[in-house]
Amino acid sequence: MNKMDEIIIVVDRQELFENETLSFQGTVQDKGTVNQIIGNIARNFGIMRRGDAEENTEFKQPIPYAVIKRGNEIFVYERLKGAGEKRLHNKLSLGIGGHMNPSNTSSFIDVLVENLYREIEEELDIYSTVKPELNIIGLINDDSDEVGQVHLGILAVLEVHKDTIIKVRETEELYGEFVSIEETKIEENYDCLENWSKIVVDIL
């Protein structure tokens, strides 16, 4: 199936941001606001063909976006030319995530977690004897480019055990490694980061 024929979860922008009274640029981490916006998604989300959603700025596509953290390190990866999203080739990313597909469960949070873990398992092999801990810490919105205009990031941190090893599955599409948060490598490559990852860096 063509990925643009995929059926994904969307939410009307006006319902999401309550006629723009809750709209923001960058990130919001206030727990009350985060819960309010996620509640708006839960009450109003629907489905749409992905190819149509990518061209329709009246709708936002909620995207789980998980930063994998191991102690004082975060997992950084690069989208190579073999990756499907041409707009993001050779960009560095700090988050793993993707479009959400509908599920049999009625709870939006359950749908979100199910989709997020599926996305992680598609891209990475995680070797650990300790179950990772997932926490939603905020939302990301960036209307400054054509990718951000139709997406809303649900920012989460996946905290893995210090002995965890992670390997990229799709080596033709991705290259990844753990990098110290304090390391200058991220700062030196700041301009190569995806816009959402720049926002994450500023938080971390």
Side-chain angles (χ1 to χ4, degrees):
M1 182 182 71
N2 187 317
K3 71 174 184 177
M4 288 301 168
D5 290 329
E6 178 185 8
I7 301 302
I8 62 171
I9 287 176
V10 298
V11 60
D12 183 282
R13 183 186 176 104
Q14 298 307 311
E15 299 285 355
L16 172 70
F17 291 134
E18 298 183 11
N19 296 317
E20 301 300 328
T21 60
L22 293 177
S23 65
F24 64 95
Q25 296 301 312
T27 184
V28 60
Q29 293 177 272
D30 174 73
K31 190 173 182 180
T33 304
V34 170
N35 288 341
Q36 189 174 357
I37 292 175
I38 288 181
N40 289 341
I41 300 174
R43 287 186 291 274
N44 298 290
F45 74 89
I47 58 174
M48 187 180 293
R49 177 180 169 274
R50 179 174 171 181
D52 297 328
E54 293 288 357
E55 303 294 331
N56 193 339
T57 57
E58 293 183 6
F59 289 84
K60 282 281 191 180
Q61 304 161 45
I63 305 290
Y65 194 72
V67 177
I68 300 176
K69 189 169 179 286
R70 185 179 69 181
N72 69 336
E73 297 177 309
I74 51 178
F75 192 76
V76 179
Y77 68 96
E78 179 181 2
R79 298 180 192 271
L80 306 176
K81 289 185 178 180
E85 178 53 91
K86 291 182 180 179
R87 294 175 292 189
L88 300 177
H89 283 176
N90 298 120
K91 290 285 189 178
L92 295 177
S93 180
L94 307 183
I96 297 284
H99 294 84
M100 296 176 61
N101 303 121
S103 171
N104 291 328
T105 180
S106 59
S107 163
F108 174 72
I109 294 297
D110 288 344
V111 177
L112 184 151
V113 171
E114 180 181 312
N115 275 271
L116 178 57
Y117 274 110
R118 184 203 69 227
E119 192 74 25
I120 291 172
E121 289 171 1
E122 285 178 358
E123 297 192 355
L124 304 174
D125 283 319
I126 299 179
Y127 301 95
S128 178
T129 57
V130 180
K131 185 177 179 180
E133 182 179 337
L134 181 70
N135 294 300
I136 295 174
I137 64 169
L139 301 170
I140 301 174
N141 188 55
D142 174 27
D143 292 325
S144 68
D145 64 21
E146 61 179 4
V147 177
Q149 286 172 3
V150 293
H151 298 95
L152 177 79
I154 300 174
L155 178 60
V157 171
L158 187 70
E159 187 82 42
V160 299
H161 188 261
K162 63 181 180 178
D163 296 327
T164 300
I165 296 172
I166 295 181
K167 294 183 179 180
V168 171
R169 282 177 178 264
E170 301 168 337
T171 54
E172 292 182 358
E173 297 188 4
L174 299 175
Y175 169 79
E177 63 179 336
F178 275 106
V179 175
S180 170
I181 295 173
E182 292 81 14
E183 223 173 90
T184 58
K185 179 175 181 179
I186 295 176
E187 294 180 1
E188 289 173 355
N189 292 281
Y190 187 84
D191 290 340
C192 295
L193 291 171
E194 297 172 2
N195 283 357
W196 282 9
S197 292
K198 289 179 181 178
I199 293 168
V200 171
V201 167
D202 294 338
I203 293 172
L204 295 177

